[in-house]
Amino acid sequence: MDNIKIVIVEDEAIVAMDLEQRLIGMGFHVVEIFKNGNDLLEHLSTLSVDLLLMDINLKSDMDGIELYKLVKEQYNIPAIFSTAYSDPSTLARVKALDPYGYIVKPYNDQELFRTIDIGLYKFKLTSELKEREEILQCIADSANDCIMMLDENADVIFWNQVSEAHFGLSSNDIIGKNWMDILYTDSEDSSSVDVNKHIPKIDKNATFDILAKNLDGQGMPMRMSVMPAEIKGLRRTICVMKDMSGQLKKEAELKRTKAKAEISDTAKQIFLSNISHELRTPLNGIIGMTELLSETQLSSEQSQYVNVLQKSSSMLLDTINDILDLTKLETGKLELEYKELSVKSIVMKIVEQYAYESRNKDITVNYEIDDFFPDKFIGDEFRIQQILSNIVDNAVKFTEKGHVTIKVEAQNIRYSYNEPLATVCITVADSGIGIYQKDLETIFDSFSQVDGSMTRGYEGAGIGLNLVKRLISIMNGHVNVESVPGKGSEFQVIFDLVISTEVKKRDAAIVTDSSTIVGSSNKVVQPESFEDLFVLVAEDNVVGQQVISHILNHKNIKFHLVENGARAIKALESRAYDIIFMDIEMPEMDGIEAALQIRESSVDRFNPLVPIVALTGHSTEADKERIIAAGMDGILIKPVRIEDVYNIISSTLFERDTVSVLQENTVDAFIPEMFIGEEDLYYQLVQVFVVDAKERVKSIVEAFGMNDWITIEKESHSLKGSASYVEAVKVTEEAVELNNMMKKNEYEYTDLAIQNLKNHVNDFCKKIENHLVEIKKQ
Ligand code: ADP
């Protein structure tokens, strides 16, 4: 107790001394004794005091009670009063001062000590409580929100500073009053009334949106969080109110901006669809009229112009469609259409299209499909085709030589939510110009093209890959790319597809006659007319492909083109064909071998009795025998005439004749007989032939320099095929001669044969070129 410093205020010197002695005896430290209040007030600021022991009845100007009132105004020092009189009125005055104790004279040591001890303890507790209260007050005042506490009658018992500032109401204005009377607006908003009804009953935290009024009577939207509390067993409600005016304003602003954006989006959509309609209508006119124009008699120059017109207008249409799709994707308005589809058919269609479109380039477009790849899926056929077309289009565009290969695999076949699912992985690899690493990051952005000389000169709007990325992403898939500049690129699209569970029975075929098979997946219905037909053409020669395509197109006969026997068999596995035109000499697998395999095939693979017509440049008896022995139904000797093709289809399919053999033509005129009336087709073909033949002769000469007999054999074979189509008789003869020499490994007169071939090719080309110049003049 020696560190407790006590000041005595006592006007009786003896009493003061007695008290001092007692206190010292108890171990307290008596700092000073003052006889009156003025002395104390004068010196108190210079002293360090823990407790005042004050006589109530001081004889001087003020008594102890008045003195302590003044002390309390400035100092936080506890006081214990002593008095010789304990009359009720004095005690009442003492109590009003909230003293820490009082003691009645004469002093008793024990009582004195206990009173001081309890007084100091009470002071300590009160100080701590006060500190805690100040902390809480500080927190309440520093909060951003208005805080009020209500009693069980919804009268306000606490009101923080923020509330004061916010509502312009001091604590005095509101404490003790019902919050509704002060804050409730008489607007139509009824939420405050509801809250008031609820407040006494709320047993857990709740939030209400109310319209409270400020001092000026203006309504303020407030979000009020209400929490029940119990203080000293009494029900209290804590209300935290947040002014929502700012936020509501922001929300309204946001709504307005969104609505504006939506309106402008809709306007954009309407504008785009209008403009695209406006663009597409005349474009369709151009495309349609160009098509019709192409069907009329045109000079070769005009044909070329029409060709360019057709290509350009269809490219423009594609670009317009792409832009439309992009905007639909951007506004989330593009929806997928789920139907049964065959990925295999999509890929084959694309391969066919691009094999044809790239015929003037030295590239092969082909595909590889996993043996176990499921046949049917559920998905958006058009969008999958769009994705692949864009990638393959680029691959063909950026590849001058080599290959474009589409590989299709199914990975991770599994059940998800009771549906069979496969991850389809389609890789498009090319041997083109490739893409630099730095450009790989941007090629999927819209309107991005690899900058620099590498791609300059290639057409395109830079939309395709962006469209691919967006389309594949709405299909929940992704696209990857790897590339080595100068070597080629590999694009890979990966997406999940549901495997169609519709049962497609591969029943055993029921053979009814030689050309009609029903019941298998390769169901063949006897065609009624040419337009019902679906023809497969296996021909490796580009000129041959063009001739047969033209002839079939002329009668609106649908067809697929493949470049060898193996591909023909693969094609048969994917769909039914009514008839096959099969070139006899083709690389990889020739027509005889393919026909043999088809005839020996089992019925559940495809229709093994599909009619096959051989296309051949040979007409020897031995050849015919080989063809018939392979089970073929007809022979067409090249060069084929339009009528021959229709006749053989009719006789094979509609009349079901026995094997038909159509005879070779002998034509001397400049325009071969078969092209009479089709002169423009002939001019188109010979132009293709001229380029092709010159290339092949060049390649033969180079190969001869390296004793590369295989290449000479291959090139002379191709040359004899295309020469026979355009009826370049001498060239055909020389090519056959050279080809036979190579087949028989007779190399002695190769140089002579090559020279002859070269001369005849040059003669023929010159003749053609002169003729074309003549026509142009007319
Ligand atoms: P574009 O219409 O120009 O082809 P894309 O978005 O389809 O637009 O392609 C963007 C760019 O990516 C192309 O311009 C080209 O530079 C590059 N690119 C795409 N595919 C290939 C590819 N197979 N080989 C080389 N470059 C490619």
Side-chain angles (χ1 to χ4, degrees):
M1 291 286 173
D2 16 289
N3 49 358
I4 303 280
K5 296 174 280 279
I6 298 179
V7 165
I8 299 171
V9 185
E10 174 60 70
D11 54 354
E12 294 284 348
I14 297 175
V15 178
M17 270 175 62
D18 171 50
L19 189 55
E20 184 185 22
Q21 287 313 307
R22 284 173 192 271
L23 293 174
I24 292 169
M26 287 170 201
F28 296 111
H29 174 58
V30 177
V31 180
E32 196 72 69
I33 300 172
F34 293 104
K35 284 199 177 88
N36 60 56
N38 284 332
D39 288 352
L40 174 75
L41 292 175
E42 197 184 325
H43 295 99
L44 195 52
S45 63
T46 60
L47 302 173
S48 158
V49 187
D50 296 314
L51 180 72
L52 295 172
L53 246 175
M54 301 209 293
D55 185 21
I56 292 178
N57 299 312
L58 296 173
K59 283 185 206 104
S60 58
D61 44 353
M62 63 185 101
D63 68 5
I65 294 169
E66 282 159 3
L67 174 62
Y68 190 53
K69 262 189 203 163
L70 295 173
V71 169
K72 267 181 99 176
E73 279 173 15
Q74 284 188 61
Y75 307 94
N76 184 26
I77 304 171
I80 289 176
F81 294 99
S82 64
T83 175
Y85 315 99
S86 54
D87 58 293
S89 77
T90 308
L91 282 183
R93 284 180 68 211
V94 169
K95 272 185 198 161
L97 279 178
D98 195 14
Y100 292 88
Y102 75 91
I103 187 160
V104 182
K105 295 174 192 172
Y107 301 119
N108 162 310
D109 274 359
Q110 262 185 8
E111 199 190 341
L112 180 63
F113 184 82
R114 201 173 54 237
T115 309
I116 293 174
D117 196 27
I118 290 173
L120 288 171
Y121 181 65
K122 188 181 166 196
F123 178 71
K124 189 173 158 251
L125 285 185
T126 319
S127 301
E128 279 172 8
L129 212 66
K130 216 165 160 201
E131 191 186 344
R132 222 174 301 159
E133 209 171 70
E134 276 169 12
I135 290 173
L136 288 176
Q137 183 72 42
C138 196
I139 292 172
D141 288 340
S142 61
N144 282 327
D145 300 329
C146 305
I147 302 173
M148 84 178 163
M149 194 187 287
L150 306 177
D151 67 10
E152 63 276 25
N153 301 316
D155 290 344
V156 180
I157 53 173
F158 177 80
W159 185 246
N160 73 341
Q161 261 180 20
V162 182
S163 304
E164 290 189 353
H166 212 85
F167 288 90
L169 290 165
S170 72
S171 296
N172 290 341
D173 296 330
I174 196 164
I175 288 205
K177 298 187 179 130
N178 188 287
W179 79 280
M180 279 280 287
D181 296 342
I182 308 292
L183 300 183
Y184 173 60
T185 72
D186 53 1
S187 76
E188 281 165 22
D189 171 75
S190 61
S191 52
S192 307
V193 185
D194 286 348
V195 181
N196 209 38
K197 265 195 277 164
H198 282 113
I199 279 178
K201 290 180 249 151
I202 283 169
D203 57 356
K204 56 177 187 262
N205 297 2
T207 304
F208 302 89
D209 284 327
I210 63 162
L211 197 65
K213 73 174 174 198
N214 63 11
L215 198 60
D216 308 328
Q218 271 176 347
M220 286 188 294
M222 308 285 284
R223 179 152 298 162
M224 183 154 104
S225 303
V226 180
M227 287 147 274
E230 200 182 280
I231 297 172
K232 287 198 208 152
L234 293 172
R235 192 202 153 88
R236 300 286 179 252
T237 308
I238 302 159
C239 307
V240 178
M241 291 175 286
K242 199 180 181 71
D243 188 346
M244 301 298 285
S245 333
Q247 189 158 334
L248 289 181
K249 213 164 131 195
K250 257 191 229 155
E251 277 172 16
E253 192 66 37
L254 217 71
K255 258 189 206 156
R256 250 199 317 276
T257 318
K258 202 169 157 234
K260 245 174 157 175
E262 267 166 17
I263 291 168
S264 92
D265 232 31
T266 320
K268 194 170 128 196
Q269 278 294 314
I270 294 170
F271 171 75
L272 270 167
S273 86
N274 283 346
I275 197 82
S276 72
H277 179 72
E278 292 300 320
L279 286 172
R280 276 198 286 196
T281 311
L283 197 55
N284 277 336
I286 295 172
I287 291 173
M289 294 314 285
T290 319
E291 185 95 34
L292 285 179
L293 191 62
S294 72
E295 300 286 318
T296 61
Q297 287 277 337
L298 295 173
S299 71
S300 108
E301 193 180 1
Q302 285 167 330
S303 276
Q304 278 182 31
Y305 296 158
V306 168
N307 241 330
V308 175
L309 253 178
Q310 278 179 318
K311 212 175 149 211
S312 308
S313 46
S314 100
M315 270 168 54
L316 184 56
L317 188 63
D318 286 348
T319 308
I320 291 172
N321 288 338
D322 280 357
I323 291 176
L324 249 180
D325 282 344
L326 258 189
T327 52
K328 274 198 212 153
L329 280 162
E330 261 169 20
T331 51
K333 296 217 165 89
L334 193 136
E335 282 179 12
L336 297 175
E337 272 184 37
Y338 292 94
K339 280 199 201 127
E340 195 174 74
L341 61 89
S342 158
V343 174
K344 208 166 169 179
S345 306
I346 297 174
V347 170
M348 282 172 61
K349 238 192 261 168
I350 290 175
V351 167
E352 232 166 67
Q353 180 194 342
Y354 283 96
Y356 182 73
E357 282 180 16
S358 64
R359 63 196 179 279
N360 292 332
K361 287 185 165 187
D362 191 9
I363 54 176
T364 41
V365 182
N366 48 30
Y367 67 89
E368 292 169 21
I369 293 195
D370 206 40
D371 279 348
F372 300 102
F373 193 76
D375 193 36
K376 297 276 187 245
F377 294 95
I378 305 294
D380 192 323
E381 177 168 1
F382 179 69
R383 298 300 169 193
I384 296 174
Q385 188 182 322
Q386 202 177 9
I387 290 170
L388 276 189
S389 292
N390 269 301
I391 297 176
V392 175
D393 194 79
N394 279 337
V396 169
K397 186 160 69 177
F398 295 107
T399 306
E400 287 308 317
K401 204 175 160 89
H403 71 275
V404 171
T405 305
I406 309 175
K407 191 170 174 200
V408 185
E409 293 160 293
Q411 300 167 346
N412 192 15
I413 295 180
R414 63 207 185 269
Y415 267 84
S416 170
Y417 299 107
N418 275 343
E419 275 185 326
L421 209 66
T423 300
V424 175
C425 174
I426 306 180
T427 312
V428 179
D430 66 56
S431 55
I433 60 171
I435 307 162
Y436 286 106
Q437 190 62 35
K438 68 173 174 49
D439 298 318
L440 287 179
E441 287 151 27
T442 54
I443 54 168
F444 290 100
D445 299 345
S446 43
F447 308 109
S448 107
Q449 291 174 307
V450 172
D451 204 5
S453 58
M454 224 177 170
T455 60
R456 236 180 271 147
Y458 292 101
E459 293 151 334
I463 302 174
L465 289 182
N466 186 252
L467 197 63
V468 165
K469 191 173 132 193
R470 287 171 188 261
L471 283 173
I472 197 78
S473 118
I474 62 163
M475 286 166 63
N476 293 324
H478 57 274
V479 50
N480 302 323
V481 57
E482 281 178 16
S483 188
V484 180
K487 291 239 159 80
S489 311
E490 197 172 288
F491 284 79
Q492 194 172 51
V493 283
I494 298 170
F495 52 95
D496 282 347
L497 278 185
V498 171
I499 300 170
S500 173
T501 43
E502 208 178 295
V503 183
K504 291 272 177 299
K505 269 214 211 142
R506 292 181 79 100
D507 303 339
I510 306 156
V511 181
T512 54
D513 66 36
S514 64
S515 59
T516 311
I517 294 188
V518 286
S520 79
S521 61
N522 266 332
K523 190 173 133 200
V524 175
V525 178
Q526 186 67 38
E528 295 289 324
S529 70
F530 282 110
E531 269 123 55
D532 292 341
L533 291 176
F534 215 121
V535 174
L536 178 64
V537 180
E539 164 66 276
D540 63 320
N541 187 283
V542 269
V543 179
Q545 284 177 356
Q546 286 222 1
V547 171
I548 207 101
S549 306
H550 177 83
I551 294 171
L552 295 173
N553 276 332
H554 204 75
K555 276 250 195 270
N556 290 330
I557 299 173
K558 295 180 277 310
F559 62 96
H560 283 160
L561 269 174
V562 290
E563 69 276 15
N564 62 44
R567 293 253 171 254
I569 291 174
K570 274 223 161 219
L572 275 179
E573 284 171 348
S574 70
R575 63 153 296 140
Y577 293 94
D578 297 294
I579 189 165
I580 306 174
F581 285 95
M582 180 88 80
D583 187 20
I584 293 306
E585 288 185 62
M586 287 184 288
E588 263 186 65
M589 185 191 287
D590 67 22
I592 298 282
E593 176 60 30
L596 282 169
Q597 285 197 17
I598 291 169
R599 295 292 181 243
E600 280 164 15
S601 164
S602 72
V603 284
D604 58 356
R605 200 166 156 217
F606 48 73
N607 172 15
L609 298 176
V610 55
I612 307 173
V613 173
L615 293 173
T616 175
H618 313 275
S619 56
T620 62
E621 275 311 306
D623 286 329
K624 283 177 199 159
E625 272 170 28
R626 268 188 347 125
I627 288 165
I628 292 166
M632 301 208 207
D633 303 81
I635 304 174
L636 267 186
I637 313 281
K638 295 180 196 174
V640 288
R641 302 161 198 244
I642 296 177
E643 283 314 309
D644 294 346
V645 174
Y646 302 147
N647 285 342
I648 206 152
I649 291 175
S650 291
S651 61
T652 314
L653 291 180
F654 304 129
E655 292 155 28
R656 290 177 219 149
D657 269 0
T658 45
V659 172
S660 337
V661 178
L662 291 158
Q663 287 309 313
E664 193 177 3
N665 310 300
T666 46
V667 185
D668 294 328
F670 184 83
I671 300 279
E673 194 195 335
M674 73 158 287
F675 291 106
I676 303 281
E678 295 283 340
E679 288 81 0
D680 293 327
L681 168 67
Y682 183 69
Y683 295 139
Q684 265 179 43
L685 286 178
V686 285
Q687 285 177 66
V688 174
F689 171 74
V690 166
V691 178
D692 185 61
K694 283 182 178 169
E695 267 300 306
R696 296 204 188 276
V697 168
K698 198 170 144 223
S699 155
I700 288 172
V701 172
E702 277 169 14
F704 181 65
M706 293 181 282
N707 291 347
D708 177 359
W709 315 120
I710 295 171
T711 302
I712 299 177
E713 186 186 338
K714 207 175 112 218
E715 296 289 15
S716 56
H717 167 79
S718 295
L719 197 51
K720 82 181 176 190
S722 29
S724 71
Y725 271 112
V726 292
E727 301 201 8
V729 183
K730 292 277 184 233
V731 177
T732 314
E733 282 171 8
E734 288 305 332
V736 169
E737 176 76 28
L738 181 61
N739 191 248
N740 285 342
M741 284 162 105
M742 295 302 109
K743 278 185 179 159
K744 292 182 199 155
N745 300 332
E746 290 169 359
Y747 308 124
E748 206 179 340
Y749 301 109
T750 312
D751 53 346
L752 225 95
I754 291 175
Q755 195 51 51
N756 279 343
L757 178 67
K758 203 171 150 185
N759 291 341
H760 285 302
V761 166
N762 284 343
D763 283 354
F764 185 82
C765 294
K766 206 163 274 157
K767 204 170 105 194
I768 294 292
E769 279 158 3
N770 288 340
H771 188 77
L772 291 176
V773 171
E774 281 303 308
I775 299 170
K776 273 185 203 163
K777 281 189 199 153
Q778 285 166 17

